[in-house]
Amino acid sequence: MRFLYAGLGLLCVAFAVVGVVLPLLPTVPFLLLAAFFFANSSERLHNWILAHNLFGPMIQDWNDNRAIRPGAKKAATVSIAAVFSLSFILGAPGHVLAIQSLVLSCVLIFIWTRPNG
């Protein structure tokens, strides 16, 4: 199970890197997911991340009641808006913008329907 979490963490980091290089994916939600997956992949890493001032409380809230802190929700929303705006400004084709807006809307709905941590 730890290998699965480590693999999912690496996948989320890869998505975050793609989001930095290409305006297709938001980076902040994938970085938060990566931190969550890495925290569950190794007990030493789990303890280190839980001790972190930013990620620790977020992961603990998620583990306790599937909550997301309001600051993380706002950061994810800003990241998503920036990605979509950049795609629009760079002139992405209409079908790419449509798919991107659908996926990003689903991410936003998921984030904002979670309880506040």
Side-chain angles (χ1 to χ4, degrees), residues 44-111:
R44 177 188 243 177
L45 189 57
H46 178 76
N47 292 336
W48 180 81
I49 291 178
L50 284 182
H52 192 274
N53 290 338
L54 175 66
F55 290 119
M58 288 183 195
I59 291 172
Q60 197 59 50
D61 286 344
W62 181 260
N63 285 338
D64 292 344
N65 57 7
R66 299 297 185 241
I68 300 174
R69 291 183 173 255
K73 289 181 180 184
K74 290 175 187 171
T77 303
V78 168
S79 172
I80 287 171
V83 165
F84 189 76
S85 299
L86 192 56
S87 296
F88 187 75
I89 290 168
L90 291 177
H95 66 283
V96 171
L97 288 174
I99 292 171
Q100 188 181 42
S101 65
L102 179 66
V103 170
L104 297 180
S105 297
C106 291
V107 171
L108 278 176
I109 289 169
F110 174 80
I111 289 171

Side-chain angles (χ1 to χ4, degrees), residues 5-60:
Y5 278 124
L8 288 172
L10 288 173
L11 183 65
C12 287
V13 169
F15 282 145
V17 169
V18 168
V20 170
V21 176
L22 299 172
L24 299 175
L25 299 169
T27 56
V28 174
F30 284 113
L31 289 176
L32 292 174
L33 281 173
F36 170 75
F37 288 134
F38 284 140
N40 286 310
S41 68
S42 158
E43 190 161 333
R44 177 188 243 177
L45 189 57
H46 178 76
N47 292 336
W48 180 81
I49 291 178
L50 284 182
H52 192 274
N53 290 338
L54 175 66
F55 290 119
M58 288 183 195
I59 291 172
Q60 197 59 50

